[in-house]
C-alpha cells in the first residue's frame, strides 16, 4: 500500500463508529458536549481525521455521577460474573482489532504492527483479568485468642480515574479498566487530547457488550481540557484512586492534589532507560534490541532505550553496528507495511528532540547520525525525523532528562560496577537491561545492588513488557504498578476480619479488663 493511498483511505473508521463530529463524554450513553471543538490531525500527514466536542464541567459532573451510580450496582455482581463481561469486551475488541490498530497508528503515529500489537495487549489483559476474577485471594491468619478466627479480604474502591498519555492510547486504558472492573470498580477515563478518537472507539466497542447488560457506565469517558476536566477529576472525593500515565511534570501536579484529599495514586511517569552491554555480550543481539528499543514508536515509549552503557573494549564495534542498522531504518507513513519508524506525535516533539541534540553539541558531545527532519513521499505535512545516535556523558543535564524522541546516547563504562553506578545515577527508574553471557554479571544486575528500576531484563531490551508481570518503576517514575502479578490490589481496599465464635471475650496481648 502506498503512503498516498494509506493517507486518503479513512473508511475503516466507520467500522468502529467514528464518523462525523464526536461527543467527548460517555457514561452509559453519549452525552452532548458543550465545549470547544477539538480538531484531530494525524501526525503522519497533518491531515484532519476527525473532530471531537470536548466535555465541560457540566458534562464531567454528569459522567462521574453516572459512573458512581453504576459502581453501587456493579460491586454487588459476583467477581466471576464481572470477569465474564470483561471477557466478552475483550472478544469484541478482538473482533475489531484491525480497524482499532489502524486508528492507533493513524492517530498516534506508531507503525501498523505496533498499533495492532497495542490492541492485542488490550485483548490479552482482558483475558488475564477474566482469570483474575476467580483469584482475588485474601488470607487466613491464626489468632492468639481461643475460639477466634482471623482473615483478610479485599473489597472494591469505587470510581477509578484513568488519565492516559498519547503514546499508548488503547493499552493503558485497558490495563486499568479490565483489572478495575473485575475488582468491582468502575472507570472514568480522561485520555490525551492528542489521541481522543482511539478513546472514543475503544469506548464504543466496549459499550456494544456492556450497554445491553445495563452496565455501560462502568467504562465512562470524558475528553476535555486539563483546567476543567483534569482539575475536577484529581480533586473529586468520589474518585478514590487516580491512575495517571504521563510525564514526571504531570505527576508532580496530580500526585499532591490527590494526596491532599487522601486519595490514592498509581503514577506511571518518565523513563530514562539504559541498556548495559558488557564485553562478553552477543553484540548482534544487543544491537538489534537497542535498535527496537530506541527507534520503535519513534522513541516515544516510556520504556524506550535512551542510554547505552557500553564496556569500552566493545564500544567501537557496537557503535559501528548500530550506525549500520540505523542507516537501514525505513521512515514513512505508519500504515505502509515497509515502514519501521513513523512520525513523532507533533511539532513540539520534533522541536524538543532538536533542542536536546543542540544541547549535546553545546556540551561537547558528538551526534554520530540522525536528528534531521525528513518528508517522506505523500507525507509532507507529517512530523518526521531521522533517529539520532550521540556520544555523551551520563552526568550531562540533557542525558539526565527524558527527551520523548528518537535519541540514543552512547556512554562508555570501565566495568560492571561503573555501569551500575552510572545506570542508577539518573532521577528515573523504569526499565533496564544488561547484555552479558556471564551469569554472575546478570545476577548482580538483578540483585539489590544492581538496577534500581522496576523492570530489569537480561539479554532482551528495555521495551516490550508482557502483561503477566507488574509494570511500573521507582524514583521519579512514580512507584505505581499496573497490569499483571498482584497489581490488582491497588484497585481494592484491604479489610481484616476477626470472628469470635466462642462464649467469652478474651482480649489480645493477654490484657485483663474486668469490672467485677
Amino acid at each position: 500500500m502506498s503512503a498516498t493511498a494509506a493517507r486518503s483511505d479513512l473508511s475503516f473508521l466507520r467500522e468502529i463508529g467514528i464518523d462525523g463530529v464526536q461527543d467527548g463524554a460517555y457514561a452509559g450513553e453519549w452525552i452532548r458536549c458543550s465545549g470547544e471543538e477539538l480538531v484531530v490531525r494525524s501526525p503522519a500527514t497533518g491531515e484532519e481525521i476527525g473532530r471531537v466536542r470536548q466535555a465541560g464541567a457540566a458534562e464531567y459532573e454528569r459522567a462521574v455521577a453516572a459512573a458512581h451510580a453504576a459502581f453501587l450496582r456493579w460491586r454487588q455482581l459476583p467477581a466471576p460474573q464481572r470477569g465474564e463481561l470483561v471477557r466478552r469486551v475483550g472478544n469484541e475488541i478482538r473482533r475489531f482489532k484491525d480497524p482499532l490498530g489502524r486508528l492507533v497508528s493513524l492517530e498516534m503515529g506508531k507503525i501498523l504492527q505496533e498499533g495492532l500489537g497495542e490492541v492485542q495487549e488490550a485483548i490479552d489483559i482482558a483475558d488475564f483479568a477474566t482469570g483474575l476474577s476467580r483469584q482475588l485471594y485474601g488470607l487466613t491468619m491464626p489468632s492468639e485468642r481461643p475460639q477466634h478466627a482471623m482473615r483478610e479480604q479485599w473489597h472494591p474502591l469505587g470510581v477509578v480515574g484513568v488519565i492516559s498519555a498519547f503514546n499508548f492510547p488503547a493499552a493503558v486504558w485497558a490495563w486499568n479498566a479490565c483489572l478495575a472492573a473485575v475488582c468491582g470498580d468502575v472507570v472514568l477515563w480522561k485520555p490525551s487530547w492528542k489521541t481522543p478518537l482511539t478513546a472514543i472507539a475503544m469506548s464504543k466497542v466496549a459499550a456494544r457488550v456492556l450497554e445491553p447488560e445495563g452496565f455501560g457506565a462502568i467504562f465512562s469517558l470524558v475528553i476535555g481540557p486539563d483546567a476543567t476536566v483534569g482539575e475536577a477529576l484529581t480533586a473529586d472525593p468520589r474518585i478514590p484512586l487516580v491512575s495517571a500515565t504521563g510525564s514526571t511534570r504531570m505527576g508532580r501536579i496530580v500526585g499532591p492534589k490527590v494526596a491532599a484529599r487522601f486519595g490514592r495514586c498509581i503514577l506511571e511517569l518518565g523513563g530514562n532507560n539504559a541498556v548495559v552491554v558488557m564485553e562478553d555480550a552477543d553484540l548482534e543481539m544487543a544491537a538489534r534490541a537497542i535498535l527496537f528499543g530506541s527507534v520503535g514508536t519513534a522513541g516515544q515509549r516510556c520504556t524506550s532505550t535512551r542510554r547505552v552503557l557500553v564496556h569500552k573494549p566493545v564500544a567501537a564495534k557496537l557503535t559501528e553496528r548500530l550506525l549500520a542498522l540505523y542507516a537501514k531504518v525505513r521512515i514513512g507513513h505508519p500504515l505502509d507495511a515497509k515502514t519501521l519508524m513513523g512520525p513523532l506525535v507533533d511539532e513540539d516533539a520534533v522541536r524538543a528532540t532538536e533542542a536536546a541534540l543542540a544541547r549535546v553539541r553545546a556540551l561537547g558531545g558528538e551526534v554520530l547520525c540522525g536528528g534531521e527532519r525528513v518528508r517522506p513521499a505523500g507525507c509532507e505535512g507529517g512530523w518526521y525525523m531521522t533517529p539520532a545516535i550521540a556520544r555523551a556523558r551520563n552526568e550531562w543535564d540533557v542525558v539526565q532528562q527524558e527527551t520523548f524522541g528518537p535519541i540514543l546516547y552512547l556512554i562508555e563504562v570501565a566495568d560492571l560496577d561503573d555501569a551500575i553506578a552510572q545506570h542508577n545515577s539518573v532521577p528515573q527508574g523504569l526499565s533496564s537491561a544488561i547484555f552479558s553471557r556471564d551469569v554472575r554479571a546478570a545476577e548482580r544486575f538483578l540483585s539489590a545492588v544492581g538496577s534500581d528500576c522496576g523492570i530489569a531484563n537480561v539479554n532482551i531490551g528495555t521495551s516490550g513488557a508482557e502483561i503477566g508481570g507488574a509494570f511500573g518503576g521507582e524514583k521519579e517514575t512514580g512507584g505505581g504498578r499496573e497490569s499483571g502479578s498482584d497489581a490488582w490490589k491497588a484497585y481494592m481496599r484491604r479489610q481484616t476480619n476477626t470472628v469470635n465464635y466462642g462464649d467469652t471475650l478474651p482480649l489480645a496481648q493477654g490484657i485483663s479488663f474486668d469490672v467485677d
Side-chain angles (χ1 to χ4, degrees), residues 21 37 85 147 213 223 311 419 445:
V21 180
E37 204 167 274
L85 285 174
Q147 296 185 308
E213 301 294 334
I223 300 169
H311 200 184
F445 186 75

Side-chain angles (χ1 to χ4, degrees), residues 40-282:
V40 184
R41 298 188 182 277
S42 171
T45 60
E47 68 174 330
E48 180 181 324
I49 59 173
R51 294 188 175 224
V52 177
R53 282 186 291 266
Q54 296 185 81
E59 292 80 31
Y60 169 82
E61 179 57 36
R62 183 173 166 186
V64 74
H68 182 70
F71 164 68
L72 299 179
R73 294 184 298 114
W74 180 249
R75 66 181 177 177
Q76 298 182 58
L77 205 65
Q81 293 184 34
R82 299 194 297 256
E84 169 60 16
L85 285 174
V86 169
R87 183 191 69 82
R88 288 170 54 193
V89 169
N91 282 343
E92 198 71 3
I93 295 172
R94 182 180 280 110
R95 193 158 76 89
F96 290 97
K97 177 181 175 179
D98 184 72
L100 287 170
R102 291 167 70 84
L103 175 56
V104 169
S105 295
L106 189 67
E107 187 175 36
M108 185 268 147
K110 62 179 65 175
I111 62 173
L112 180 57
Q113 283 304 308
E114 289 188 87
L116 293 170
E118 178 172 349
V119 177
Q120 184 61 49
E121 206 166 329
I123 297 165
D124 291 344
I125 198 66
D127 289 345
F128 179 90
T130 300
L132 179 65
S133 68
R134 294 180 181 271
Q135 301 177 73
L136 302 174
Y137 299 136
L139 297 171
T140 59
M141 295 152 284
S143 173
E144 67 184 62
R145 289 169 284 184
Q147 296 185 308
H148 281 60
M150 291 181 66
R151 70 186 184 200
E152 177 183 275
Q153 60 181 332
W154 296 84
H155 295 305
L157 277 175
V159 181
V160 175
V162 174
I163 301 172
S164 63
F166 74 87
N167 58 335
F168 280 88
V172 168
W173 166 79
W175 285 359
N176 286 278
C178 293
L179 264 63
V182 298
C183 288
D185 301 322
V186 305
V187 167
L188 183 65
W189 183 15
K190 181 191 180 300
S192 168
W193 60 268
K194 297 180 181 181
T195 50
L197 297 181
T198 299
I200 290 170
M202 293 293 287
S203 298
K204 288 190 174 185
V205 170
R208 295 167 66 96
V209 171
L210 298 173
E211 277 189 17
E213 301 294 334
F215 285 112
I218 70 163
F219 292 156
S220 297
L221 174 71
V222 280
I223 300 169
D226 292 343
T228 52
V229 170
E231 290 279 350
L233 189 151
T234 54
D236 198 328
R238 293 169 294 182
I239 300 178
L241 172 66
V242 175
S243 177
T245 302
S247 67
T248 298
R249 181 193 63 79
M250 180 271 287
R252 292 189 194 280
I253 297 170
V254 171
K257 288 186 176 180
V258 176
R261 59 176 177 83
F262 299 102
R264 302 189 199 173
C265 271
I266 300 172
L267 296 177
E268 300 288 358
L269 309 175
N272 196 348
N273 316 297
V275 172
V276 173
V277 182
M278 300 308 297
E279 184 177 9
D280 65 342
D282 182 326

Side-chain angles (χ1 to χ4, degrees), residues 426-478:
V426 295
Q428 310 84 358
L430 179 52
S431 187
S432 60
I434 186 171
F435 280 80
S436 174
R437 292 184 173 94
D438 186 341
V439 67
R440 294 169 300 179
E443 289 294 344
R444 182 172 175 79
F445 186 75
L446 301 181
S447 75
V449 298
S451 168
D452 62 0
C453 291
I455 299 168
N457 299 326
V458 177
N459 294 328
I460 61 171
T462 63
S463 192
E466 298 183 34
I467 59 97
F471 180 90
E474 301 302 322
K475 303 189 295 187
E476 289 190 2
T477 299

